[in-house]
Structures are given as structure tokens and as C-alpha cells.
Amino acid sequence: MQFHEVRFPVSLSFGSSGGPERRTDVVSLANGFEERNTPWAHSRRRYDAGMGLRSMDDIDAVLAFFEARRGRMHGFRWKDWTDFQTGRPSREVGFEDEVIAIGDEVTTVFQLVKVYRSGEQTYARPIVKPVEGSLRVGLSGDEQSEGIDFTVDYTTGLVTFMHPPSVGVEVTAGFEFDVPVRFDTDQIIASAATFAAGEVPSVPVVELRV
């Protein structure tokens, strides 16, 4: 996988626009009803980094980052300021934010997830790029210690316990995370004159499946 474990400058991603997209195939039937299906198990996010540019120095930083990634060639980390942590945005991350699994006394490796809830419906989003130093993990209300009770791979979002959690024990976690993305263009068209006039270049970014 051609992925660079480097984050797009957060000062430039702040102010960008974007969010999740889904793919739904809709077929209208002769009786007026619809059939709806989706080939995607998970949503995919798109952003426009150009919306966060405020100065010529910002453009210079984006161009340098773009060239270092070779355009669409290499992926990178992106902070989505509208959705970058478990729990409510107004409070700090807690180790009981998400139930990521239930212990079975056999399994030791668990994937980090963020669960979105609305009414009785839920969606569990796999998180593969947690932010180093932000992860907190618990077992049925008892916080665990990284390096003693568990380890984490910050490039995959996999948590590995030294000993498998007992049967029925809730494995919980809280963390900040980045989105794995790449540039969705091999060309950035920037002009000092148009930028000074308030027109920012389009710098599309799209989420990667990793």
C-alpha cells in the first residue's frame, strides 16, 4: 500500500468542506414502488482542501505537500474537523466511549470502531488511523494501560491484549482518529491574482480503503 503516515497540515484542513457519501442504486418499479440496494458496506468521505486556504503561504504549503505525495500516488492522513474523535465533540475522549467488542476468552486482537446511532439504527465504522497518544482502552469499566495490558498499531487501528478478555467482558475504547485519504487530482491550478480576488483553487481529497 502506497501510504505515507503523515498528516495533512491541520491548519489547512480546518475550514475545508466535505463529508461522507454513500452509493445507493435505486430502481423504480412499474407499480411505483422502489427497490434500493447498496454495494458499499461503508461510507466514503470526500473533501476540498482548497476551502481552507487563506494566504499565499498556505498555497505554498499545499503545493509542497502535493508534490511530496506525487499527486494521487501516495495516501496520507487527514483530520476531519467535523468528525475526529469518539464521544461528543464538546468533551474529552473517555475509555468507555465505544464498545468495540465482547470478550470470549480466546480473541486478543480487536479492530477500533466508531459507532453512529440514530434511533434503533447503528453503523459501526472501522477506524484504521487512530491518533498516536490519544487512545484509551477499558475492560468492563476498568481502564487498561497501554504497553502493559495491551498494545496498539496506530497504522491499522488494531488493539492487541496481552491476555484475551474474559467471556462477556465489554472491550471499550475512546480515541481521536484521522481519515486515510489521497488527492483526487494530479493537477492543482493556482493563481496569485485569482486568489487575491477571493477565488481559491480546488484541491479535492478522497478517502482510501486501507
Side-chain angles (χ1 to χ4, degrees):
M1 184 64 189
Q2 296 166 317
F3 192 90
H4 293 173
E5 291 292 338
V6 59
R7 180 191 261 181
F8 187 85
V10 294
S11 61
L12 303 184
S13 61
F14 186 80
S16 63
S17 63
E21 68 171 349
R22 290 275 180 174
R23 178 177 174 181
T24 306
D25 298 327
V26 181
V27 177
S28 297
L29 305 178
N31 59 8
F33 287 89
E34 292 180 342
E35 287 187 355
R36 295 182 297 278
N37 296 283
T38 177
W40 289 5
H42 302 290
S43 55
R44 190 182 197 190
R45 283 151 177 80
R46 291 182 180 275
Y47 308 96
D48 189 343
M51 300 301 294
L53 305 184
R54 300 169 185 82
S55 68
M56 290 302 297
D57 285 349
D58 290 348
I59 292 181
D60 181 71
V62 167
L63 290 176
F65 195 90
F66 177 84
E67 292 287 22
R69 307 286 86 74
R70 306 298 192 269
R72 294 186 293 177
M73 178 63 69
H74 299 286
F76 53 94
R77 287 172 172 259
W78 173 275
K79 181 174 182 177
D80 181 347
W81 285 88
T82 64
D83 186 8
F84 66 90
Q85 69 175 49
T86 55
R88 294 187 178 277
S90 58
R91 66 177 180 82
E92 293 184 357
V93 165
F95 71 90
E96 294 183 294
D97 284 350
E98 302 287 356
V99 176
I100 64 172
I102 302 296
D104 60 7
E105 213 162 345
V106 176
T107 306
T108 58
V109 181
F110 303 93
Q111 178 69 59
L112 292 176
V113 297
K114 178 175 180 178
V115 180
Y116 299 80
R117 297 177 178 83
S118 178
E120 297 181 355
Q121 304 302 311
T122 62
Y123 163 61
R125 174 188 177 187
I127 300 299
V128 297
K129 299 297 179 184
V131 175
E132 190 165 358
S134 72
L135 179 65
R136 299 177 66 185
V137 171
L139 293 178
S140 288
D142 293 324
E143 186 164 10
Q144 306 296 293
S145 298
E146 184 177 349
I148 299 175
D149 302 307
F150 70 93
T151 60
V152 58
D153 187 338
Y154 285 98
T155 68
T156 63
L158 293 176
V159 174
T160 302
F161 284 88
M162 305 305 182
H163 305 284
S166 301
V167 174
V169 167
E170 287 188 341
V171 182
T172 62
F175 47 88
E176 294 185 6
F177 59 91
D178 293 327
V179 184
V181 299
R182 63 166 172 80
F183 288 109
D184 199 25
T185 180
D186 276 324
Q187 180 185 35
I188 293 180
I189 300 176
S191 166
T194 57
F195 184 81
E199 183 178 335
V200 297
S202 176
V203 187
V205 175
V206 63
E207 184 175 2
L208 286 172
R209 307 290 194 201
V210 295

